[in-house]
Structures are given as structure tokens and as C-alpha cells.
Amino acid sequence: MERAGRRVNMFDHRAELDVLMSSLRATASGRPGLTVVESAAGLGKTTLVEAFAAEVRRTLPEALVLRARCDELEHDFPFGVVRQLFEPLVATWSEEKAEQMFAGPAEPATHVFSSVPCVGEANAFGDAPRGVLHGLFRLSLRIAATAPLVLLVDDIHKADSPSLRWLRYLVRKNTQAPVLVVATVRTGDAHECLRTLDPGPDHNVLRLTRFTEAQVVAVLTELLPPDLTPELLISCARLTGGNPLLVRALVTSVTADRACSSIQPDALPPRTIGRFADFVRNWLATTSPATREFAAALAVLGSARERDLVSRLAGLDDLTALRAENELRDFGLLEPCVEPSWAHPLARESVLDQLSTERRQQLHLRAAKLLYDDGTDPERVCGHLLDVSTPQEPWVAAVLLAAADDAAMRGAPDSAARYLTRALDEPLAESDRLRAEVDLGLSEAIHQPSMAHRRLVKVLELVDNPVQRAEIAEVLADVALREGRFREADTLLTRVAKDVAPIDRDAAVRLDALRLSAQVLHGTGQTVATDSPQQTRTPSERAILAAQAAAALSTPGWTAAAVAELAERALAPGVRHMPALAVQHAVRALAIAGHGANATRYCDEAIRHARRTRSVVGLITLIDARSRIALWTGNLAEALKFNEEAMVNLPLDHWGRLRAIPLATRMVILAERGDVDEAGRIADDLVDAPVDIRFDVARTRAAQGRIHEALEACDTDQTAGWHWAALISRLHLALDDIPRAGQWAAHATEQASSWGSARAIGVTLRVAGEVATGRAAVDLLTRSAAILDSPATRLELAGSLLSLATAQARHGMTAAARRNFGAAAAEAEWCAARGLAERARAGALSAGARPRARATTGVGALTAGERRVADRAAAGQANRDIAATLHLTLRTVETHLSAVYRKLGITGRAQLHEALTARTP
């Protein structure tokens, strides 16, 4: 019968197996991938994956194959799939290796595995999901750096939400590590599952179709008694609908002298599944009560990690349980393996369908109590308690609350919310009920802001402890901002800060800082007082300075140097305990004031700490600020990477009213890259955005050539910043309105001079040069390029070089124009600004330059990835720090640096800075 099972299950899935092996070869050569095997129930997708695993071990023995089988009972068990995949491997590591693998950015992953002691901090109910997801991502890359990693996930449509989010994070962010994910999914659940995974366009989908009637007849002819007529064989084949499990059930039943005369020759596949359930039910009716009890217990448990658990739940001694298990296996309901495991979900579902609701709840409650008495993880106990609706003994509430705490610490607030919701159905003491309501609101804040808002508003009035009120108010304000309730957040923070001030002054100052930061975020930052606080010793006091630095950007009279000094005072002592929302204001102000390197350093540090806090708005705006800093320094590839990370950490539909923040950043990046049409589609959604975002919309409209629409979006107030004046000047120039263009250019130059940053002066000189004519234009643009000749302003430098070359070509300075067209193209290519690079190359051709092949040596030969690594190495970063910053493996960083040394003709890191900054004569 084992031979028959193999013959029935595989049929001819050789083509699909070949596709999987092709994906494996691609992964081993450095191209990670995702393959989804989709089919209706029972068509052999599990068996195909098992055959693939065996083939991997045979043909690529160095590969590491990790497997997980999802189960609806573990749907609420946070990171259950991740644990199935990695815990058997992690448990084999020595303490030294575990410390090495979980070091640095992988540290938050320690909170997932029970076999690894937690290291560092973890904050309940906070943005732990982001830290844990990235920690698991880094851990996966480190494992894959030692050997190609193959992750096999069966029935992924039943996976827990945190594991699905991690898989999405892995397949979207991994671009180099040899990791192949193969997942099976049932037809009907595939669309929703793929929508959640959001894998991108490059994944493979293998759809297993039902086998043909001829194939099934051939198998039945081989395995059934020879006296059966061809007509009966065809009837059997039609009944199965090509389902291998049903074919095996028919083979088993016929060989056991069960009649097939009742089979309808024209039965449809959905009825075939129902017929299989009848086979199971009818067969179970003929077995002993012990076998039926064992089947019911195993169906409720889903799987049997501890063999004796099934027998205890069924109330059977070991020998009787073993006989029952063997009887189920002989019928084909269980896998032919050591532990009792269902051969197919349909087998388990058929048994569950025979149990009454009351009976199922009794078994789930008994299973929970057995697991609880065994000291099992609370979350596994709760997998059964969630299926029990009526209040029970006091231990039930205790284990639900404990599971909620564990889930929050492991970065699964959605699971914590389910446990807390169920716990509130139990009889609780008033203090425990209030704490559960608070924790439930904090858990809901990330992915269910509307529900969290209603709950926390109600709970806040019931909490007497002022410090706890401040904690709730901080999260509630975060939710209110995403819900577009700015005034409510402002009033709430003011009121609670006043209540808590007599007891905890620092907590009150922190709430005031958040209120001021929210005002800046909402575009009302001009009302923030610019008088510095008398004391700036605590993180909360420095958070007020941070908000003031951001407010100063839109307040007349401030210079870049003064804003930078204010932001440095706020950030220099450390950002660890400052509100993330305040830090993002300060780093943006510092970058705009021309201190991009320091802004990057502070922002990276703040992001690491913000992943452990509750501020969703703070974290995502920090990541967006990091994207903007990369954009301002001209690194469009890095800017796009951080923008995508912000949307992975919080899907766009959870940003609420703040969705304009990441969309505006993406719009500008796309416009600078030359994807003007896509940027324009985003601009269509941002017509009612705040003033700062309207500037980005106006720039995008200008790039589209929709000049009048761009002018309508502009702030034409004479007190508007230099960037507005420069844009308006260029728009009038595009309309051939030279007088107005000149007036606005002069105004922009005056304001930029008062502001004092190199970017502002260089950009406004470029605008003035574009308006001017003749030799004056060349002189102004030459000064602009000289001022912008810095690693912090490469994108602006490319624009000024292009304008300079264009002016020189018009003035008859052909040789100089060709050189500057080439320099503009080189700078634009480094920035990945394709549109600007194409215009520069077109200008060079029009000036008589000959197109050259891509360099194979020198700075121009470096790829974007090599250049990013080289720049950081030249700045003094260690290889391990570069790997953490760029989300690369240490081996990849070393490979990039070896290529850089070869192309630049140098021998080591000490020569990097000089080689990268050297100009071609």
C-alpha cells in the first residue's frame, strides 16, 4: 500500500518538480525567489514539496532545507511558522554561535525563539513588529550566507499573521541572499494569501490541475482487483475528480471489500470531497470507540508534538492509543511516519465535521487544560481557548493575559489583541479588567487605529494613575494624528500634561514636546515658541528644542547656522529616550540646514531605538525622514529603499490621514528618477496636502510640463522660502515671462543668502543663471556648480552642470560644454537620476561629443551598490556597520570592496577617499 500511495500521489508532477529545481539553481547562483504551489485540496501539492525537498538534499547537499506545516489551530500563535522553520536549527547552535548569529540588528529575533534567551530591550505592544521582522530578516541573511537556504511552508493560507508579515518582509527586501521560499496554498485562498504576501511581480506560481480521467483510470487499473469492469473504473475516476487522496481512499476501500456500486459516474469534484467525508464517516462508524476518540482528539489538536497528549485527551492508555493510530494509518488518513499526522487536511476536516459544537468545545477546553498543566507556552494553550466561548475557571483568564503579554513582547500585537478580547469575556477583577482594556487599546493602535481610538478614549477616563494616563495619552495622540484628529490630540496632550506635571515633571514635558511636534507635523508649527527652554538636560526637554528647530525652518529671520545649532543641541547628547516624532523634526531641520552626514547618523540611531517604542507615527516619519535625507544628498536608490521600508513597516492603508507623507516622498523620488508619469499619478492624490507637500506637487507638475497647474499650487507670498521663489522663477521662465522670472530669481537669491546654506545659494544661483543670458549666465552657473561641488549636493550639482553646459554651448564654448555635459551625466548616473542623465547625454551629442562605452576602471566603473559601500568605507565605517546600515551580508560588503579596489587600482581602504574624490582632468 505504501507503493500505491506514492504512485497515486505523484502521478506526473515531474514538470512542476523541474520548475522548482530551476528556481533552486537560480537561488544558488544569487537570485532569491518565491514559488507558490497552488491547487485544490488533495491534488498532491504537499507530496510535490516533499519530493522537491528530497531532490534538494540529493542534488545540492550543502543547501539548508527548513520546513513548516501551517495549521488553523496555530493561526493565533505568533510566529508559529517562523518557529517551526528555525527552532530545530537554532536549538542545535552552541551558545557562542547563537550569540554571533543574533548579534547586532538580528538581536530582536531572540524574542521569537523559546530556546534563545532574550537579549536587550523589548517594549510590549509597541513597534516591536518592525524590530522583530527586521531581526528575523537579518538572521535569515546570516544563515543564507553560510549555505543556500530553502524555506518550505505548507498550507501558507493557514499561517499566523506575524509569520506572513515576516515572509512579505523577506521576499520584498531580499535582493541578493540565496534564499528560496516555496509555499503551498489551497485554491480559493490563494488570492488573499498573495495579497497579504505582496511578493512583487517576479514570483512563480505553479498551479496543479486535477489529473485527467485517463491518468486516474491507469492508476486504478494497476491497483484495483482485475475483475472490475472498465465502466466501474471510469466511474471511480470521475468520482475522484483527479484527487489523489480520494483515489487512495477508493483503492483502500475497494481492496477492503467495500462496494463502489453507489458511485455516481457524473459526480462533480465538489461532491467528490463530500463523498470522501462519507467514506471517512462510514469507516469510522465501523471502528472501535477508542479509534473514534483518538481521531477526534487528534483532529482537535491538529498535530501531535507530544505523542502521549493525544492519548491523554482521548482518555486512552498507550497501547490502545497505538492500536487506534495504526488503524487510522492503515486506512490512509495518517501519514506513514513516526508521529501521528494527518495525511491531508480533508481527513482532519472530515473528522471535525462529525463532532457537535458542544463536543468540540469540550475537547478544546480539555486540551487547553492539559497543555496548561504541562507548563506549555501560554500562546499554544490559547490556540484552544479561543475556540471556547463560555467563561471558565480562573486559570483561563490568567493564561490568556499571560499569552497576550508574550505575544506583545514577541512583536505580535494582533495576536495579543485576540487573546485580550477573549480574556475580557472571562470574570476578571476590576483592576485586571482595566489593565486588559488598556493593553487591548495599545495592541490595536498599530493596525486598528479607529478601534483603538474609541477604546482608549473611554479607558483614559477610568485610569487614575497620572503616569499611566500619560502613557495612554501618548499612544492615543499617535492614533488621533493618523485619524486626522489633530485638535483632539493637541487638547488631549495639553490636558494630560497639566494633570501629570505635579507628579512627574519630565512626563509632562515629554507630552508638551509631543504636542509641539504634532503642531509642526500638522503645518501649524509657526505657533511654536522659539525661545529655548532654560534647561535642556533631559530627553524630554531636548525634544522641545527639536520641535523648535523644525518650526524655525518656516519662521522668518532664522539662518541655516542657527537652525543647525538648535538641532545639534537637541540631538548631540543622544536620541535614545527622545520621542521619535520630535527626533525626526530635528534631523530634517539639520539636513535642510546643510548637515546631511550628522542628520543621517542621528536618524539611523533614532530608527534603531524607535523600533522598540509605541510611536507608530514617530517610527514611520523617522524612516521617511531618512528617505528624504538620502534624496537631498542625491542617493535616489537609497531614498527609494527607505521609502519602501516605511510602507512595509506600516502598510499605506494604516497611515490614515498621514499617508501623504510617504506618498510625497515617493513622488519626488520618482520624478527625480525620470518616472514623471508615475509621479504625476501620485500628485493627483495629493491636491489637498499641507504646504510643504504642495511644494513637491508643484515640482512634479513642472516636471510633467503642466506649468500653469504648478503655478496654481505655488505659495506666492513674498515671505515664502527661497525654494518657493526659485521654483516660481523657473515656472515663469518656462512660460517665457522673463521679467517675472528675473524678479523671483532675485528674490530667491536674496532669501538664500540670508538663509546661508550652500544648497540654497547654489540652487538660486543656478536659477539666476538660467534666467540670465550671455556671459553673465555662464558666470552665475559656474559659481553655482562650484558651490554645489560636494558629496552632500550631488543631485543639485548635476542640475547646475547641465545648465552650465547648455549656456556654454549657446555661447560658443563647445569644448567646455562637452566636458560639463559629460560631468553632469556622470553625477546624474551616480544619483540614478535617469531623466537628468539622458538630457545631459543628449546635450553632449548635440555639442559634438562621441558616445563612449561604460568605463571598466575608475570611479565611473563602479556600480551603484559598490559606490554606496565605497562611500561608507571611505567615511570610516567598519564592514559590519556598513552591512547593518545597507541591510547586506558581511560577505557581500567584502565582495563589493574587493571589486572597488580592483576598479580603482588601489590596494586598501586607506586610499579610498582620495580615489573617490579625485576629479578626471
Side-chain angles (χ1 to χ4, degrees):
M1 187 54 64
E2 185 177 343
R3 178 187 65 83
R6 287 199 302 269
R7 174 74 175 90
V8 169
N9 270 327
M10 277 307 293
F11 279 94
D12 59 351
H13 281 328
R14 301 300 169 189
E16 290 81 0
L17 185 59
D18 290 343
V19 172
L20 290 176
M21 294 304 297
S22 176
S23 298
L24 175 68
R25 288 189 290 272
T27 297
S29 66
R31 295 199 302 276
L34 166 69
T35 298
V36 178
V37 181
E38 175 191 343
S39 78
L43 290 189
K45 53 185 180 295
T46 299
T47 308
L48 172 62
V49 170
E50 290 173 347
F52 171 61
E55 192 70 9
V56 172
R57 296 187 184 98
R58 187 182 68 81
T59 61
L60 192 66
E62 67 271 22
L64 185 60
V65 180
L66 305 180
R67 295 199 60 181
R69 186 165 186 174
C70 308
D71 189 289
E72 65 267 13
L73 193 60
E74 291 188 343
H75 183 73
D76 295 308
F77 189 24
F79 292 111
V81 172
V82 173
R83 293 192 197 184
Q84 283 192 58
L85 288 169
F86 289 103
E87 274 205 324
L89 173 66
V90 171
T92 65
W93 290 345
S94 65
E95 184 177 342
E96 181 181 359
K97 182 171 183 179
E99 182 178 351
Q100 178 185 3
M101 296 299 281
F102 285 102
E107 174 189 305
T110 59
H111 299 284
V112 172
F113 302 108
S114 59
S115 59
V116 179
C118 291
V119 180
E121 304 175 13
N123 187 290
F125 306 107
D127 284 324
R130 297 129 179 78
V132 172
L133 292 182
H134 187 66
L136 289 169
F137 172 71
R138 297 296 306 168
L139 177 66
S140 304
L141 297 193
R142 286 176 179 173
I143 294 172
T146 64
L149 180 60
V150 180
L151 303 178
L152 306 180
V153 184
D154 206 8
D155 288 337
I156 196 173
H157 53 280
K158 297 180 182 179
D160 61 281
S161 297
S163 292
L164 273 180
R165 283 202 296 272
W166 167 72
L167 281 169
R168 177 179 67 186
Y169 196 88
L170 174 66
V171 300
R172 291 303 298 270
K173 287 182 68 65
N174 180 26
T175 58
Q176 295 179 336
V179 180
L180 174 62
V181 179
V182 178
T184 70
V185 62
R186 184 185 299 183
T187 300
D189 298 305
H191 175 73
E192 181 64 23
C193 185
L194 290 177
R195 188 186 71 81
T196 303
L197 276 178
D198 190 22
D202 298 330
H203 72 286
N204 294 323
V205 177
L206 295 180
R207 292 183 174 87
L208 307 186
T209 59
R210 294 189 181 276
F211 301 115
T212 65
E213 179 181 305
Q215 289 173 316
V216 177
V217 168
V219 171
L220 296 180
T221 300
E222 177 184 343
L223 300 178
L224 292 183
D227 57 342
L228 295 178
T229 65
E231 291 77 15
L232 184 55
L233 289 176
I234 293 173
S235 296
C236 291
R238 289 176 178 171
L239 173 66
T240 65
N243 187 306
L245 182 63
L246 304 187
V247 173
R248 186 164 62 189
L250 282 174
V251 171
T252 304
S253 61
V254 170
T255 54
D257 296 325
R258 286 174 170 78
C260 291
S261 58
S262 61
I263 297 176
Q264 299 297 319
D266 57 351
L268 297 174
R271 293 182 58 192
T272 303
I273 296 175
R275 178 65 67 181
F276 174 64
D278 290 339
F279 285 143
V280 174
R281 180 168 54 252
N282 294 336
W283 177 79
L284 282 174
T286 68
T287 62
S288 66
T291 301
R292 294 196 293 273
E293 288 296 325
F294 187 91
L298 183 59
V300 166
L301 288 170
S303 60
R305 301 176 187 176
E306 304 85 9
R307 171 178 291 278
D308 70 323
L309 183 61
V310 187
S311 57
R312 285 190 289 152
L313 181 57
L316 305 174
D317 61 72
D318 291 345
L319 181 59
T320 305
L322 182 59
R323 289 172 179 167
E325 178 185 335
N326 288 336
E327 195 170 4
L328 290 170
R329 184 173 284 113
D330 289 342
F331 184 66
L333 295 182
L334 301 186
E335 292 281 11
C337 56
V338 177
E339 294 182 349
S341 176
W342 295 105
H344 192 276
L346 279 178
R348 182 186 175 213
E349 291 169 12
S350 298
V351 176
L352 284 176
D353 288 342
Q354 299 177 45
L355 302 177
S356 66
T357 302
E358 181 180 1
R359 176 65 172 148
R360 287 177 68 168
Q361 290 205 8
Q362 288 174 350
L363 286 171
H364 276 299
L365 181 59
R366 284 174 54 192
K369 188 63 167 67
L370 287 172
L371 292 168
Y372 174 73
D373 291 340
D374 289 346
T376 308
D377 288 344
E379 291 161 301
R380 190 177 170 200
V381 179
C382 290
H384 294 282
L385 290 179
L386 291 178
D387 288 317
V388 181
S389 59
T390 56
Q392 304 296 331
E393 297 87 349
W395 68 270
V396 173
V399 76
L400 285 164
L401 294 176
D405 286 341
D406 287 351
M409 290 295 292
R410 295 186 187 279
D414 43 0
S415 297
R418 283 191 287 273
Y419 300 147
L420 289 165
T421 301
R422 175 64 183 82
L424 289 171
D425 291 335
E426 296 291 322
L428 295 171
E430 285 303 315
S431 59
D432 290 338
R433 183 169 295 276
L434 181 59
R435 182 69 249 185
E437 288 278 7
V438 171
D439 290 346
L440 179 54
L442 300 179
S443 298
E444 293 168 336
I446 296 178
H447 299 297
Q448 298 174 294
S450 298
M451 188 176 296
H453 181 268
R454 291 192 297 270
R455 189 181 305 279
L456 291 175
V457 165
K458 180 179 68 174
V459 169
L460 184 63
E461 303 307 318
L462 302 176
V463 175
D464 296 326
N465 186 325
V467 176
Q468 191 178 24
R469 285 172 60 82
E471 176 187 24
I472 296 171
E474 188 170 333
V475 178
L476 187 52
D478 187 294
V479 170
L481 287 173
R482 280 189 285 155
E483 289 285 290
R485 304 170 186 262
F486 165 73
R487 293 187 181 279
E488 179 181 323
D490 191 86
T491 303
L492 170 72
L493 291 169
T494 301
R495 175 165 58 89
V496 178
K498 183 178 179 181
D499 293 342
V500 77
I503 297 170
D504 191 334
R505 177 186 175 276
D506 190 65
V509 174
R510 181 182 178 89
L511 293 180
D512 280 336
L514 285 172
R515 179 176 56 82
L516 299 180
S517 298
Q519 289 181 6
V520 175
L521 184 68
H522 191 257
T524 57
Q526 293 85 349
T527 62
V528 176
T530 55
D531 291 333
S532 300
Q534 294 181 351
Q535 295 181 335
T536 56
R537 293 175 299 182
T538 70
S540 299
E541 291 167 342
R542 290 187 285 106
I544 292 181
L545 281 183
Q548 290 174 344
L553 293 174
S554 56
T555 304
W558 281 82
T559 65
V563 169
E565 190 271 337
L566 193 61
E568 280 283 358
R569 284 177 57 198
L571 298 172
V575 301
R576 180 167 186 169
H577 298 294
M578 289 177 64
L581 187 59
V583 175
Q584 73 89 19
H585 286 320
V587 296
R588 287 174 70 103
L590 194 60
I592 292 173
H595 296 258
N598 280 355
T600 298
R601 178 166 55 86
Y602 290 131
C603 196
D604 287 340
E605 181 185 356
I607 288 172
R608 286 196 296 272
H609 293 300
R611 295 184 191 280
R612 304 178 185 273
T613 71
R614 295 182 180 142
S615 175
V616 178
V617 171
L619 175 67
I620 59 180
T621 52
L622 269 172
I623 297 175
D624 181 77
R626 185 65 178 83
S627 179
R628 285 280 179 166
I629 294 170
L631 175 62
W632 290 327
T633 56
N635 196 333
L636 298 183
E638 187 172 73
L640 185 60
K641 182 196 72 173
F642 278 105
N643 180 258
E644 290 177 344
E645 182 178 344
M647 296 191 188
V648 166
N649 279 318
L650 190 70
L652 198 57
D653 54 351
H654 291 146
W655 283 69
R657 297 294 181 88
L658 300 180
R659 66 194 302 271
I661 293 175
L663 284 178
T665 301
R666 175 166 292 243
M667 175 182 67
V668 176
I669 295 170
L670 292 173
E672 294 288 4
R673 284 164 57 96
D675 301 327
V676 178
D677 293 338
E678 182 63 27
R681 282 190 284 273
I682 297 176
D684 295 338
D685 292 335
L686 298 175
V687 290
D688 297 324
V691 172
D692 287 346
I693 292 178
R694 286 209 308 272
F695 174 76
D696 296 332
V697 171
R699 288 176 61 193
T700 301
R701 294 301 187 216
Q704 290 179 280
R706 296 159 65 171
I707 307 301
H708 291 288
E709 291 181 49
L711 269 174
E712 290 175 5
C714 284
D715 183 358
T716 56
D717 190 327
Q718 290 293 326
T719 63
W722 64 266
H723 56 299
W724 278 111
L727 175 61
I728 295 171
S729 173
R730 300 191 75 180
L731 293 174
H732 283 301
L733 182 62
L735 295 173
D736 290 329
D737 189 344
I738 306 301
R740 285 193 179 183
Q743 292 171 3
W744 279 104
H747 181 55
T749 303
E750 180 183 352
Q751 291 213 334
S753 179
S754 298
W755 173 246
S757 75
R759 178 189 301 276
I761 294 172
V763 169
T764 53
L765 282 174
R766 181 208 309 163
V767 173
E770 289 170 344
V771 175
T773 57
R775 187 71 195 189
V778 173
D779 291 342
L780 287 169
L781 292 168
T782 301
R783 288 172 55 198
S784 171
I787 290 172
L788 294 172
D789 191 1
S790 163
T793 51
R794 299 190 73 152
L795 186 58
E796 300 295 354
L797 172 62
S800 291
L801 287 171
L802 177 58
S803 296
L804 173 60
T806 303
Q808 288 171 330
R810 284 199 303 263
H811 202 60
M813 305 167 64
T814 307
R818 283 200 296 265
R819 288 196 299 272
N820 284 318
F821 275 128
E827 296 292 346
E829 285 175 352
W830 186 93
C831 296
R834 294 190 299 267
L836 187 59
E838 289 172 2
R839 293 199 300 274
R841 283 193 292 268
L845 291 174
S846 66
R850 294 180 180 179
R852 294 183 297 175
R854 182 179 177 86
T856 57
T857 60
V859 176
L862 302 182
T863 67
E866 291 167 350
R867 185 60 196 254
R868 285 196 293 272
V869 171
D871 283 343
R872 282 166 173 74
Q877 274 192 281
N879 288 3
R880 192 173 298 279
D881 294 332
I882 297 172
T885 302
L886 298 181
H887 307 301
L888 301 173
T889 64
L890 186 60
R891 182 180 297 176
T892 300
V893 172
E894 293 168 348
T895 300
H896 279 340
L897 283 177
S898 297
V900 168
Y901 298 156
R902 174 174 51 78
K903 292 178 180 179
L904 296 183
I906 60 178
T907 58
R909 184 184 294 256
Q911 302 165 276
L912 259 180
H913 179 73
E914 183 178 355
L916 290 173
T917 55
R919 292 288 182 186
T920 302

